[in-house]
Amino acid sequence: MQPRSVEELMSLLHACRGAWDAPDRDGDPVDLHDHALQTAQVLRRSHPSDKELQVAGLVHDLGHLLRPGDDAGHADRAADAVRPVLGARVARLVQLHVPAKRYLATIAPGRPLSPQGELTLGRQGGAMTPGEAAEFARDPLAEAAVTLREADDAGKVVGLDAGVMEDWQPVLELVAAAHRSGG
């Protein structure tokens, strides 16, 4: 489904309740709904003025809902889905959250990942080569993508109350309006 409005995007986000990053539920310990809320909440606290980054955290794993089991392509799929509504920067951050994981595996090889994160890292290309890491670091959004990745890793806590999805609709509308106006 290609959302054409914030309302349709909200429907997709609500559909994440009870949906998991792995079809057989052997992946991360929280469903995509709670993971989205937790990731966005981490970013809201750490970067309160960057609404696009927060929203990227909210929608970054929609690709798992759109095509279950597509670990390697879920970021691109989510980016393509949200770009028309939320704009290029949000979509690019979503797209970069997987390369950011590969980048962090290169520059901080001992950095812990969840068991599912370890498994999917291999499916997503493994740690970057030094050349790939240097190229990633030159991307103007690399730092923000790493921030998103770190929030993604932190947003997997069973039982953590990170609010409700409805709280994010005004933020989504703000980002969507800015995109429509070219700002």
Side-chain angles (χ1 to χ4, degrees):
M1 173 187 178
Q2 178 84 25
R4 295 176 307 247
S5 67
V6 169
E7 292 74 25
E8 289 180 7
L9 190 54
M10 285 295 294
S11 292
L12 272 178
L13 289 165
H14 282 292
C16 288
R17 183 168 293 287
W20 300 83
D21 62 334
D24 58 5
R25 290 190 56 179
D26 69 345
D28 289 323
V30 296
D31 67 11
L32 294 173
H33 177 272
D34 289 350
H35 177 57
L37 288 171
Q38 289 180 24
T39 303
Q41 187 65 266
V42 167
L43 293 165
R44 178 181 270 170
R45 279 192 226 110
S46 66
H47 292 78
S49 63
D50 192 343
K51 303 301 184 208
E52 289 179 331
L53 179 60
Q54 295 167 27
V55 164
L58 191 68
V59 301
H60 75 282
D61 271 349
L62 280 176
H64 286 302
L65 180 72
L66 297 171
R67 183 175 287 170
D70 185 14
D71 290 325
H74 82 278
D76 289 336
R77 186 166 312 285
D80 290 344
V82 302
R83 185 177 291 109
V85 177
L86 300 175
R89 182 170 182 259
V90 172
R92 183 73 176 137
L93 288 169
V94 167
Q95 187 176 38
L96 287 174
H97 88 273
V98 169
K101 176 166 121 180
R102 296 183 60 224
Y103 173 77
L104 286 169
T106 300
I107 66 160
R111 182 176 175 274
L113 286 171
S114 68
Q116 181 68 4
E118 288 286 347
L119 178 66
T120 59
L121 177 64
R123 293 183 194 147
Q124 295 163 342
M128 289 181 168
T129 66
E132 289 173 324
E135 183 179 336
F136 176 83
R138 286 191 293 272
D139 190 300
L141 291 178
E143 185 176 336
V146 166
T147 299
L148 170 57
R149 179 76 238 171
E150 292 169 340
D152 181 0
D153 291 339
K156 300 175 183 182
V157 180
V158 175
L160 179 67
D161 181 1
V164 295
M165 198 60 74
E166 288 73 20
D167 291 343
W168 286 96
Q169 185 161 351
V171 183
L172 287 165
E173 289 171 351
L174 182 72
V175 170
H179 165 61
R180 284 191 305 273
S181 71

